[in-house]
């Protein structure tokens, strides 16, 4: 399976193990800068429930210092918040009706598990789990690293 592409800064932090030329690293950095997305429209979509919209706003506010979320992440974040609202709804239904219904396992238990799996996947993509943040932190540049005139020297 092919490896996921790494940013030019990650290549530098790892000591450029693939021996990419300075010219190629400059090109990558320039292209990466072009792909930086704005963060000015991180508002909950109208289709989110009230619970989902509150969670959306809470996460956007919580993640603001990281500047990790962009407008391009809006739908992924909205799906996460929608799945969380569903998870809570399934949990309430299980508590109301019990684990068994008419001699069978409550079908909301399966739905709650499916929602939990989706939540875990989306949380990892958004950097909302300790493990995903640790992975991001490994490759984060120091605050002082950006002070150099030419980061590719």
């Amino acid at each position: 399976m092919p490896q996921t592409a790494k940013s030019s800064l990650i290549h530098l932090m790892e000591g450029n193990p693939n021996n990419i030329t300075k010219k190629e690293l400059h090109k990558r950095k320039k292209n990466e800068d072009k792909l930086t997305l704005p963060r000015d429209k991180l508002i909950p979509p109208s289709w989110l429930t009230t619970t989902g919209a509150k969670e959306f706003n809470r996460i956007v506010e919580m993640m603001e210092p990281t500047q990790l979320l962009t407008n391009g992440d809006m739908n992924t974040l909205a799906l996460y918040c929608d799945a969380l609202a569903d998870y809570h709804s399934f949990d309430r239904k299980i508590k109301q009706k019990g684990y068994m219904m008419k001699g069978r396992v409550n079908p909301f238990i399966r739905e709650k598990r499916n929602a939990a799996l989706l939540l875990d996947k989306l949380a990892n993509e958004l950097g909302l789990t300790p493990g995903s943040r640790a992975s991001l932190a490994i490759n984060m540049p120091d605050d002082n690293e950006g002070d150099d005139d030419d980061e590719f020297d």
Side-chain angles (χ1 to χ4, degrees):
M1 177 178 259
Q3 288 184 341
T4 305
K6 295 179 183 177
S7 78
S8 57
L9 292 178
I10 291 173
H11 273 287
L12 289 172
M13 290 174 9
E14 292 177 345
N16 196 8
N18 296 340
N19 297 319
I20 297 173
T21 65
K22 284 185 181 182
K23 183 178 179 181
E24 180 62 25
L25 286 171
H26 277 288
K27 180 181 173 188
R28 276 192 187 190
K29 176 70 172 122
K30 186 176 171 184
N31 289 339
E32 288 168 8
D33 289 344
K34 287 180 188 176
L35 294 171
T36 301
L37 299 175
R39 305 171 54 250
D40 60 340
K41 294 190 174 119
L42 281 170
I43 55 172
S46 60
W47 53 265
L48 266 180
T49 63
T50 303
T51 303
K54 284 180 184 176
E55 182 66 6
F56 187 102
N57 288 325
R58 185 186 76 80
I59 291 172
V60 167
E61 183 179 329
M62 177 181 64
M63 297 290 284
E64 179 65 28
T66 68
Q67 297 187 354
L68 185 63
L69 296 176
T70 68
N71 294 349
D73 303 311
M74 190 174 72
N75 286 326
T76 304
L77 179 56
L79 288 173
Y80 172 84
C81 295
D82 190 48
L84 183 63
D86 287 346
Y87 179 89
H88 288 299
S89 175
F90 297 142
D91 189 54
R92 280 192 302 276
K93 290 175 182 175
I94 291 167
K95 288 177 181 171
Q96 288 171 355
K97 303 198 183 266
Y99 287 93
M100 300 296 285
M101 290 176 55
K102 299 179 184 175
R104 294 185 173 185
V105 175
N106 187 334
F108 289 115
I109 292 173
R110 181 185 68 244
E111 296 304 320
K112 181 181 170 184
R113 283 187 194 135
N114 290 341
L117 292 172
L118 179 59
L119 282 167
D120 185 54
K121 178 184 175 204
L122 293 172
N124 279 311
E125 285 185 33
L126 293 164
L128 297 175
T129 65
S132 63
R133 285 191 305 279
S135 294
L136 290 168
I138 289 169
N139 297 318
M140 262 177 100
D142 288 340
D143 290 337
N144 297 334
E145 283 185 31
D147 294 343
D148 296 338
D149 288 335
D150 188 1
E151 58 200 54
F152 297 104
D153 282 339

